[in-house]
Amino acid sequence: MCGRFNITHMPGLQGLLQRLDIDLELPEPRYNVAPTEDVVLLREGRADSARWWLVPSWAKEVSTRYSMFNARAESLASSPAFKHPFRQQRGIVPMSSFVEWRVENGGKQPWVITNAAQTIAVAALWDVWEGGNEPLLSCALVTTEAAAAFRPWHSRMPVMLTPQECTQWMDNRRPIDPRDPMLAPTLKFDLTLYPVSPAVGSARRKEATLFRPIDQAITLPTSALAANA
C-alpha cells in the first residue's frame, strides 16, 4: 500500500498549490496510476513529473528488483535508500483518491478511498539518478501503519498530510523527527470508501467508467487523537 491511485477532479488542489507557492496547471484526469508510471511531484516551490518508483542516486541501474515505490515511515531515518531524501528531499504527490483491495467472499474487492475535498496530499521522498543519458527524477510514497478504522482494508496506509503538515513536510531546511505525529497511524480527516469493478486490478485498464461505485459508500470518521491534536 499504496499501489494505485487516481488524478481526477481535485477541488482542493488549487488551495494547496497556493499554500506551497507552486504554479501548476491542473493535471489532466488519469485513472489507475501504477508504480513506474510518471506522477506529479510537488517539491521546493515547483511541480515536476517524476517516476513513481524511487531510484536512489547511488544505484547502479534503474531496477524494479526491490519495492521502492513506497517508503515505510518507521525506517525513513535508517534505510540506505530513504534516509538522505528524508533529510533533504521531501515532496508531495497529490491525488484525488487511491485504491485498496480487501478480501471479500473469497476474492479481492477493490475500494476507492477519497476525502471531502477529493484532494489528498501524500508525503513523498524523491531522488535524482544520473547514471543514464539524462537525469531521472523518481519518488516514493511514504506509508505508515493503518489507523484502527482503516485496518479492515489494509495493514498500512499512505501518510496523508493536513495543510499545515504540507508546509512543514516541504520545508527541507528543517529536519523532521521520524516520531513526529504527522507520521502516526491516525485519520486526520474523514475518508469516504466505495467498492468498484475488479477490472481495475489490471494496470493497463485506465477507463474512468471502471471507477464508478458498485455499492454504497462507507465513511471512516476522523481519529479522535487527530481531532484533539
Side-chain angles (χ1 to χ4, degrees):
M1 148 48 46
C2 169
R4 301 282 177 79
F5 67 86
N6 301 311
I7 302 172
T8 56
H9 180 55
M10 294 191 283
L13 181 57
Q14 200 60 255
L16 173 63
L17 295 173
Q18 291 175 357
R19 184 180 187 90
L20 299 175
D21 195 23
I22 294 176
D23 184 18
L24 170 69
E25 292 187 10
L26 296 181
E28 292 294 322
R30 293 176 60 198
Y31 294 87
N32 223 14
V33 179
T36 73
E37 295 181 15
D38 287 345
V39 300
V40 176
L41 173 67
L42 308 180
R43 59 175 185 138
E44 300 178 334
R46 57 188 291 180
D48 293 297
S49 178
R51 179 182 189 263
W52 179 21
W53 194 301
L54 190 82
V55 181
S57 59
W58 43 262
K60 294 181 179 180
E61 60 183 354
V62 177
S63 171
T64 56
R65 180 179 178 184
Y66 302 103
S67 296
M68 303 286 283
F69 58 94
N70 285 339
R72 296 173 67 93
E74 300 90 329
S75 59
L76 292 181
S78 58
S79 166
F82 301 133
K83 62 182 181 181
H84 175 71
F86 178 52
R87 288 197 300 266
Q88 300 181 2
Q89 295 166 183
R90 300 186 299 268
I92 290 172
V93 171
M95 58 185 70
S96 56
S97 61
F98 62 95
V99 183
E100 193 47 74
W101 283 258
R102 74 171 181 176
V103 177
E104 298 179 11
N105 302 319
K108 289 188 175 182
Q109 172 61 53
W111 288 72
V112 168
I113 298 98
T114 187
N115 60 1
Q118 299 179 57
T119 306
I120 301 175
V122 174
L125 306 176
W126 59 270
D127 208 344
V128 178
W129 183 74
E130 298 183 327
N133 295 328
E134 296 182 358
L136 174 64
L137 174 65
S138 62
C139 66
L141 304 182
V142 180
T143 68
T144 187
E145 292 184 5
F150 195 79
R151 287 173 196 157
W153 282 266
H154 203 280
S155 60
R156 301 191 66 77
M157 65 183 189
V159 172
M160 296 171 273
L161 302 173
T162 66
Q164 294 77 13
E165 290 172 343
C166 287
T167 302
Q168 181 183 354
W169 182 259
M170 291 280 277
D171 186 357
N172 284 286
R173 297 166 299 179
R174 299 182 180 181
I176 292 178
D177 191 312
R179 298 165 297 181
D180 192 287
M182 79 169 74
L183 299 172
T186 58
L187 295 184
K188 303 163 187 174
F189 38 76
D190 294 353
L191 293 178
T192 299
L193 303 84
Y194 56 86
V196 294
S197 169
V200 304
S202 171
R204 295 188 297 272
R205 302 290 297 269
K206 306 294 185 182
E207 306 98 302
T209 54
L210 295 180
F211 290 88
R212 294 173 179 168
I214 60 174
D215 205 341
Q216 292 184 341
I218 296 173
T219 298
L220 302 184
T222 304
S223 300
L225 177 61
N228 294 330

